[in-house]
Amino acid sequence: MFTKKEIIDILKDNTQNEQLFELADIVRHNNVGDEVHLRGLIEFSNTCKCTCHYCGLRAKNKNIERYRIPPDDIIKYAKNAAELGFKTIVLQSGEDNFYTRKIMCKIISEIKKLNIALTLSIGERNFEDLKAFKDAGTDRYLLRIETTDENLYKNLHPGMDFNNRLNCLYNLQKLGYETGSGCLVGLPNQTIESLADDILFFKENNFDMIGIGPFISHPDTPLKDAPNGNFTLSLKVMALVRILMKDINIPATTAMETLHPQGRIIALQSGANVVMPNVTASKYQNKYEIYPNKSHSGEKNKCANCLENKILSIGRTVSNNYGFRNTV
Ligand code: SAH
């Protein structure tokens, strides 16, 4: 276990990065093995009631064509993904009240008939909704805390409440979900100290999955003039999470690939063991622009073997199981 001071020192010192990435890779190999779990991502609505300062889906952005995929089509796309061999589907969206408890439960129960694991990433919901989604068969839920710096959180999320997000995470754990969290790296005014706090927060709460991605500036948001986050620093935060949380699932995030052409493969060699290829129908893909140049994410559709070949080329295999925590 590292102290906060040790984490800060590691994040600030760039002379031993390669050793850090190698250690994370060894810990990954020893604890979750060489299999890479692919999760098929369906971005089913870019409609959002929130106004997060960094996100292109924010309600106040008028330069975006909004869409909602009809529930029957979501189910159809999930079927296609299951036929392609995906063992997990991730349903992600903005915070969109159109998809009520009842509508979501219908979608969930239909997808669960496909014999695959199901993850939701649809923002904060009340306890009753989360309970209903779990009862309908949902296995996992992703809700990044984004930053544990409460002041920074407040400035970036007008009208939102840090404690509500925390409570939501605790409710997910209470309800027996495999619970995922994570943070952005390189937000304006984010300190190295607060990144160390983020890492310790993940460890203390023993989350099952942690997604780490660099902040990428979106031209239609209040942070349009802010510089992008740093690729190497994001990778270091991710590697430290792997070293501290040996058996969890860690995705090589698409945002890493946006900043570096081999970003996801490098992440897979620095602690990550999951990739989430975008399986959303192509007519919707470009419209889910949480940040610009997210385009690399769709290769599973265009070139079914591309990603798999890359994974094989670094001596890894594509998993054929559901990829729950502790199933090696
Ligand atoms: N509405 C859902 C899903 C949000 S999109 C929720 O609230 O959980 C998924 C993730 O994209 C967010 O958690 C955030 O960390 C990330 N994201 C949003 N805008 C981004 C940006 N400009 N750069 C990098 N990542 C971003």
Side-chain angles (χ1 to χ4, degrees):
M1 184 63 191
F2 293 127
T3 63
K4 180 171 173 183
K5 163 114 188 14
E6 284 166 336
I7 293 175
I8 292 169
D9 289 345
I10 293 169
L11 290 177
K12 285 188 173 167
D13 169 24
N14 279 316
T15 63
Q16 298 188 62
N17 290 351
E18 288 314 314
Q19 288 92 321
L20 177 71
F21 300 144
E22 268 169 42
L23 178 59
D25 198 43
I26 291 168
V27 172
R28 186 271 311 154
H29 170 82
N30 288 343
N31 291 276
V32 294
D34 288 336
E35 289 193 336
V36 175
H37 301 285
L38 301 186
R39 325 284 203 199
L41 176 67
I42 301 177
E43 297 163 335
F44 67 91
S45 165
N46 69 354
T47 308
C48 192
K49 64 179 183 201
C50 301
T51 53
C52 309
H53 277 191
Y54 45 81
C55 183
L57 305 190
R58 64 200 308 274
K60 286 189 174 163
N61 179 9
K62 303 289 176 225
N63 289 332
I64 177 175
E65 196 187 318
R66 303 284 175 176
Y67 70 86
R68 288 183 169 128
I69 303 186
D72 285 346
D73 288 352
I74 299 175
I75 296 161
K76 189 177 78 189
Y77 298 141
K79 268 189 192 139
N80 293 345
E83 277 161 19
L84 278 172
F86 287 101
K87 297 286 180 207
T88 294
I89 295 296
V90 181
L91 296 183
Q92 191 178 85
S93 68
E95 296 218 0
D96 186 356
N97 290 334
F98 172 85
Y99 298 89
T100 57
R101 185 188 306 171
K102 195 169 160 209
I103 292 177
M104 282 311 299
C105 284
K106 170 83 180 141
I107 297 169
I108 293 161
S109 52
E110 287 300 318
I111 292 180
K112 285 302 290 182
K113 288 183 190 160
L114 302 168
N115 238 334
I116 50 181
L118 179 63
T119 307
L120 294 182
S121 173
I122 62 175
E124 295 171 30
R125 291 281 190 142
N126 64 35
F127 186 85
E128 287 71 31
D129 281 0
L130 296 178
K131 180 166 186 332
F133 302 158
K134 187 77 182 67
D135 291 344
T138 309
D139 301 280
R140 312 188 183 110
Y141 205 106
L142 307 175
L143 188 74
R144 289 184 178 175
I145 195 70
E146 315 293 3
T147 173
T148 58
D149 176 336
E150 284 191 55
N151 220 1
L152 182 60
Y153 186 92
K154 202 169 161 204
N155 291 335
L156 293 175
H157 303 95
M160 289 174 78
D161 179 356
F162 181 80
N163 285 317
N164 195 52
R165 206 161 180 88
L166 266 187
N167 272 334
C168 220
L169 282 166
Y170 297 149
N171 285 340
L172 290 165
Q173 291 187 317
K174 222 179 289 168
L175 287 163
Y177 282 90
E178 280 209 333
T179 304
S181 196
C183 65
L184 288 161
V185 176
L187 291 162
N189 299 319
Q190 187 180 38
T191 61
I192 293 288
E193 285 72 14
S194 85
L195 286 171
D197 286 333
D198 294 352
I199 295 169
L200 290 170
F201 166 79
F202 302 147
K203 170 79 181 165
E204 271 156 28
N205 286 288
N206 189 25
F207 293 115
D208 303 297
M209 307 167 281
I210 293 295
I212 306 288
F215 156 71
I216 297 165
S217 175
H218 190 299
D220 299 315
T221 66
L223 297 184
K224 60 177 185 293
D225 297 323
N228 287 340
N230 180 279
F231 175 75
T232 304
L233 182 59
S234 309
L235 209 57
K236 289 176 73 176
V237 172
M238 192 199 75
L240 279 165
V241 170
R242 168 60 73 201
I243 292 164
L244 289 174
M245 303 177 76
K246 301 183 188 320
D247 65 344
I248 67 166
N249 283 316
I250 299 183
T253 56
T254 310
M256 296 264 196
E257 188 105 337
T258 300
L259 288 192
H260 189 297
Q262 296 299 323
R264 284 187 300 184
I265 288 294
I266 294 170
L268 284 175
Q269 295 174 302
S270 312
N273 69 323
V274 170
V275 179
M276 294 164 60
N278 195 332
V279 298
T280 315
S282 50
K283 63 176 168 180
Y284 299 114
Q285 276 197 17
N286 294 339
K287 297 185 183 139
Y288 195 84
E289 206 189 52
I290 46 183
Y291 50 82
N293 301 319
K294 227 173 105 272
S295 57
H296 295 286
S297 52
E299 73 265 69
K300 179 85 187 177
N301 286 350
K302 292 182 203 121
C303 164
N305 294 321
C306 255
L307 184 60
E308 188 159 349
N309 285 341
K310 275 194 197 170
I311 290 169
L312 295 175
S313 77
I314 57 166
R316 306 279 279 279
T317 57
V318 172
S319 168
N320 202 22
N321 65 42
Y322 296 110
F324 289 104
R325 186 176 183 182
N326 293 331
T327 55
V328 179

